[in-house]
Structures are given as C-alpha cells and as structure tokens.
Amino acid sequence: MSEQTERMQSMYHLQHDPFGALVDAMVFSGAGGRYETAETIRHLLTYSHQDSLVLGQAGTGKRMLAQQVLKMLEEHWRVAWIDGSETDSLVDLLREIVGQLGLGLRLDADADELLQRIIEITAARTHNDESFLIVIQFADRLPVDILAKLKLLRGTGEALESRVRQLWLCNSLDDFVAPLDEDDWYVHPLERFNDTAAEQYIKDRLIGAGNVSGVPIGVKDIHRLNQMAGGLPDRLNELARDYLISTTFKTGEKGRSFPFTHVMAGLAAVVLVVIAYVYNESVGEREVVTIVPVAVQPMSAVEKKLAEAVASVEAKQQNLVAKEEPVALLETPAALADTTILAPVAPEAPQAAKIVELPKAVVPSAEPQSVKVPVSVTKVAAAPAKARLLTNGAPEAFTQQLIGVRDRTMLEQLLPQFAASESVDIVESVHKGKAWFILIHGQFDTKEAALQATAGLPAIFKDQTPWIRTFKSIRTEAVR
C-alpha cells in the first residue's frame, strides 16, 4: 500500500482503501440498477430455460455483477469460472470445467467424448439436488468452435431441467460470428453510471471501507468525477481515490489542497533543475548555463473547482473537529471486526441511543461483509419472548432475514420498532467459528408474499430487499 493511500485512510478514518480490491470483494453497490440485474439473472438461472449474457464496455462492472450473482445462489450450486481470453483449446477448456465442477471424470478422452460425459453426469447429479453453472468471462474472445461446443452443454430438449447453466460476460455482441438465439439467451446490458448512481456508488464504497461519518466528496465534485470517468465504475474508482489523496497535500502558506498530479508535476520540475546543476558541476564546465524554467500549465476549470472544493471540505472538517464535543462510544471489540449490516439503520431521537445510518444500497447477501460500525454505549434490553418465531414457523414457510451481526445488542435495539413482538426473532448461529446473530421477521407461504410484505417493515428498512429464506434452512444453522 502506498504512503499516500495510508494517509488518505488515516485522514478519513478508513479501515481499507475504499476503491481497492479488498472492498471490491466485500461491497456490491446496487447503484445504477445493478442489484435488480443480479436478482434477475439469479431468477433466470434458477427457474428459466434461458441462459444469461451480461453486456457492457470494459469497466462497467460485469465481473462484480457476476460475483454478486454467485453469492445469491443457494449452496447446492457448483460453479466453474473460465477466462475466455486465456482459452484457445477445447480439450483444455473441458478439463478445466470438469476440475472446477468436481465431476470426477477421466481426462484422457477426446473433446467430443468428454463433452458427452459432462452432459450425462451433470444431468444425473441434478436429480440429486445439485445444480451446475459455468461463468465465461470475456466470452466474446473465445474461438467460434469453442463457443459452439459450449452451446451444446445446454443438452437436449428432454433434459432442459438438468442441463449445465451458463452466464457469459462480454464487451460487445459484434465479436460473435453467429448471433445468439433470443429464445435461449437473455441479454443484460450494463449502462454507464449517471450522476445520481455515481453518488450512491461512492457512498457505498466508503461505507464498506469503514467511513460512517458522511461522504468527504461534495455532490458537485462527484458529478464532475463521474463525467471525467465517462460513467465507468472502474475509472471512477481511480479518480475518486486520487481526489481523496489530493486532499492530504496542503500548501504551507494558505493551507489549501491541490490535486496529486500537480504536486508531482512540481516535484518533477524541481528535480530536473537540480539534475542539470549537478551535471554541469561534475563535468567542470566553465560556461554559464542558463536554465529556462518550463512554463507551468494552468489548471483547467474543472481542476480549479476540484481544488476549491477540496479546500472547502478541509475547512469544514477542521471547524467540525474544533467544535465537536466528545461522544462516548463503545470501542469495537475484535469480534465485531467482520460485522455485517445488511440493512440501513436510521438515527433515533437525540436523547436515545445513536444508531449509525447506513446507505440504502447495502444489500443483504448470503456471505457477510466486513464493516466496522461504531456502537452506542446505551443498550436496550430485549423484550421477553412470548412465543419464538423460529420455533413456531412451518419448515417450508418463508421468513425475511433482515440483518446479520456479531453483537446481539445491536439487534435488540431494533426490536421495539416492530409492532408485534411475536413476528420478529433473533436467531443465534455460528460464522467463521464465532457467534453470529440474525434478525428474522414474519412467516409467509411463498417467496412472493414475503417480498411484497417488505413494504410493511419499519421505516429503518425502507427500500431494502431482505433475504427470503425458509425456516428449515435457518434452523439448520441455528445454535440450539
């Protein structure tokens, strides 16, 4: 990690680089309709005969979207991830699929025989409640003959329910020699971020890195950064990181901040002057050498605005630090290091325990994400349980999983928000060898009914999409 990145994290109290690979693995932002697209793909893979193709320019987030889909799939799915840019042999591709899916087939057969055996064994194991998925990254770079063989994995008409499912990621449909059959493939185009989506995306990334005190980049500056990035999340990451790093560099005279690129340009000019002087001294030249300074390029209008915005942000931060009274917070224990907040929590009244507000786009997933959250010292005792929802729920009925955390008291503070105490329950399980607590709500006959009922949740869960699960699946994880 660079010294500039460390300074940025320290200045904004971040646990991680908000735009680095670690946060990539933890955070999926629903900005720009990404979560709805992921849910659609999951639904198609589970219930539809159509396979899916995600289409978008490099940097639009196709890989992140596919990884989110995998997190949303149930545990019985076996997945193979293939890089099409590194695949030019059909036999090698099929062997890779056999290995990643754990099919246990002999690998000395020719391509056609191996392909047929894959179709047969996956069909047989599907009847034993297993499902199989192949994700092809850079699918548009695969040779035509390999693409044709992959389509054969869909199986025959009689075996549609037991075929290997596929999710292809590609930059352009123009590179496919043969057009895809619309009856067999559903295309999901990923659009560039508009300015509103960029705001939500930046906020989600910062929350994932540990920042819960507000976005340190002004709305207008986020819009400018998004325009410079062309609406591409990958490019926006780079520009937003450089923006935050630039705020850690100040001039000694005015205390203003300058973009990192201008700081480096100034240092480079000084170094060139010093090198020229040393060189002339070392060769013993007697002539007077005149060094003509290079004209410094003036900052563009956008860069000037960024510099002014940075200075304004720092001035506000300094004023807040000077005026802010100390607030007693419970020091986050090691057990909370990977606490996952799967829904936002709204602040209580000033005299009540403070609960930090999280972004609306933080979406529940099967895999917890590491987010350290300050917790109020005040603890609210849980209401006495009259009849446990987990005990009374029918095994095949559905419930809403709202939040998963390490600290039970965080959930106990939320219980008074529900009108009927018997409709909500805290379930203890174990994750990564440590106690893990989840908040569940309601009992429903179908998934659709459970999703529709989200509109009646307390205001703190407004606009969220809970994880809909059966009571049977939750009981298998619960600590009895």
Side-chain angles (χ1 to χ4, degrees):
M1 181 186 301
S2 68
E3 179 181 351
Q4 292 84 4
T5 301
E6 289 179 348
R7 292 180 63 180
M8 173 190 69
Q9 291 179 207
S10 175
M11 180 173 180
Y12 295 108
H13 310 292
L14 302 173
Q15 299 172 10
H16 316 287
D17 175 1
F19 308 105
L22 185 58
V23 173
D24 278 347
M26 295 189 300
V27 176
F28 177 75
S29 175
R34 296 298 198 265
Y35 183 78
E36 289 78 3
T37 301
E39 173 58 29
T40 299
I41 295 174
R42 183 204 66 80
H43 182 87
L44 290 172
L45 292 176
T46 305
Y47 302 109
S48 172
H49 74 281
Q50 289 181 305
D51 286 322
S52 289
L53 184 146
V54 179
L55 178 68
Q57 179 181 343
T60 51
K62 299 184 293 297
R63 178 177 55 85
M64 292 287 292
L65 178 68
Q67 290 175 346
Q68 176 63 17
V69 172
L70 299 189
K71 291 180 180 180
M72 298 168 70
L73 294 175
E74 296 182 3
E75 294 181 355
H76 62 79
W77 282 85
R78 290 181 175 271
V79 180
W81 187 290
I82 305 298
D83 187 339
S85 65
E86 300 178 353
T87 304
D88 54 12
S89 166
L90 177 59
V91 173
D92 290 343
L93 171 64
L94 295 178
R95 289 174 177 173
E96 186 69 22
I97 290 174
V98 168
Q100 291 194 38
L101 294 182
L103 301 181
L105 297 175
R106 294 181 58 183
L107 302 179
D108 54 358
D110 61 28
D112 290 335
E113 181 180 352
L114 197 55
L115 182 66
Q116 186 59 35
R117 291 289 293 132
I118 291 174
I119 294 174
E120 292 173 356
I121 194 170
T122 53
R125 289 171 59 170
T126 300
H127 292 299
N128 294 326
D129 296 327
E130 287 187 88
S131 298
F132 300 90
L133 170 65
I134 300 176
V135 181
I136 308 291
Q137 190 175 8
F138 303 116
D140 45 343
R141 300 186 189 180
L142 283 174
V144 178
D145 61 327
I146 293 181
L147 285 173
K149 294 296 183 181
L150 283 173
K151 291 180 182 180
L152 294 178
L153 284 176
R154 294 178 56 83
T156 63
E158 302 82 46
L160 284 180
E161 295 180 356
S162 58
R163 70 193 182 283
V164 176
R165 305 310 308 271
Q166 298 187 52
L167 171 58
W168 291 6
L169 316 178
C170 69
N171 293 347
S172 172
L173 290 178
D174 297 337
D175 294 330
F176 288 103
V177 177
L180 296 175
D181 188 339
E182 293 183 358
D183 292 334
D184 294 334
W185 292 87
Y186 193 100
V187 178
H188 309 266
L190 284 191
E191 303 296 339
R192 298 165 180 254
F193 280 163
N194 59 26
D195 290 344
T196 301
E199 292 177 39
Q200 186 62 59
Y201 178 77
I202 294 295
K203 184 177 181 180
D204 292 347
R205 303 285 303 201
L206 287 164
I207 288 290
N211 176 50
V212 292
S213 58
V215 179
I217 307 177
V219 171
K220 291 184 178 179
D221 289 335
I222 291 178
H223 293 178
R224 293 189 183 99
L225 292 174
N226 186 53
Q227 292 161 15
M228 294 168 64
L232 299 176
D234 187 50
R235 179 59 178 153
L236 183 58
N237 284 348
E238 299 175 3
L239 292 173
R241 180 194 289 111
D242 289 345
Y243 178 98
L244 290 182
I245 289 176
S246 73
T247 64
T248 66
F249 291 86
K250 303 178 181 180
T251 60
E253 184 175 348
K254 294 183 179 180
R256 290 178 60 104
S257 303
F258 291 94
F260 180 59
T261 52
H262 293 297
V263 175
M264 295 304 296
L267 292 175
V270 174
V271 170
L272 287 174
V273 172
V274 172
I275 291 175
Y277 177 81
V278 172
Y279 174 79
N280 288 317
E281 287 294 316
S282 64
V283 298
E285 291 184 357
R286 298 295 185 224
E287 294 184 20
V288 177
V289 179
T290 302
I291 300 175
V292 180
V294 179
V296 178
Q297 295 295 329
M299 290 189 293
S300 66
V302 171
E303 291 171 332
K304 287 180 179 178
K305 291 292 185 180
L306 287 177
E308 292 171 0
V310 167
S312 175
V313 168
E314 289 179 348
K316 292 179 180 178
Q317 289 176 337
Q318 292 172 357
N319 291 337
L320 288 175
V321 170
K323 297 178 180 179
E324 188 180 35
E325 295 182 0
V327 180
L329 294 177
L330 178 65
E331 183 177 355
T332 306
L336 282 178
D338 55 350
T339 294
T340 299
I341 298 298
L342 302 180
V345 182
E348 298 284 351
Q351 68 274 15
K354 294 184 178 179
I355 301 178
V356 179
E357 182 179 358
L358 297 183
K360 294 181 179 179
V362 179
V363 182
S365 80
E367 181 64 27
Q369 302 172 355
S370 297
V371 181
K372 183 178 285 186
V373 182
V375 183
S376 171
V377 171
T378 306
K379 297 183 179 180
V380 180
K386 298 180 180 178
R388 289 203 62 188
L389 174 62
L390 182 65
T391 303
N392 294 338
E396 302 304 325
F398 296 91
T399 188
Q400 303 166 339
Q401 179 173 320
L402 304 178
I403 300 176
V405 297
R406 291 287 185 200
D407 187 354
R408 181 186 178 96
T409 60
M410 297 178 66
L411 302 185
E412 292 173 347
Q413 296 181 57
L414 301 178
L415 295 180
Q417 302 287 333
F418 296 86
S421 60
E422 65 275 8
S423 69
V424 65
D425 198 358
I426 297 175
V427 180
E428 180 180 357
S429 61
V430 176
H431 176 67
K432 294 183 180 180
K434 300 177 182 178
W436 183 257
F437 301 92
I438 61 174
L439 185 67
I440 62 173
H441 172 261
Q443 180 178 185
F444 309 92
D445 294 333
T446 65
K447 281 189 176 181
E448 291 72 18
L451 287 172
Q452 292 176 0
T454 58
L457 288 171
I460 57 176
F461 299 109
K462 184 180 180 181
D463 297 330
Q464 298 306 307
T465 304
W467 182 14
I468 308 303
R469 305 180 60 184
T470 63
F471 283 97
K472 179 180 178 181
S473 70
I474 295 179
R475 286 171 186 153
T476 60
E477 302 174 2
V479 175
R480 303 186 185 280

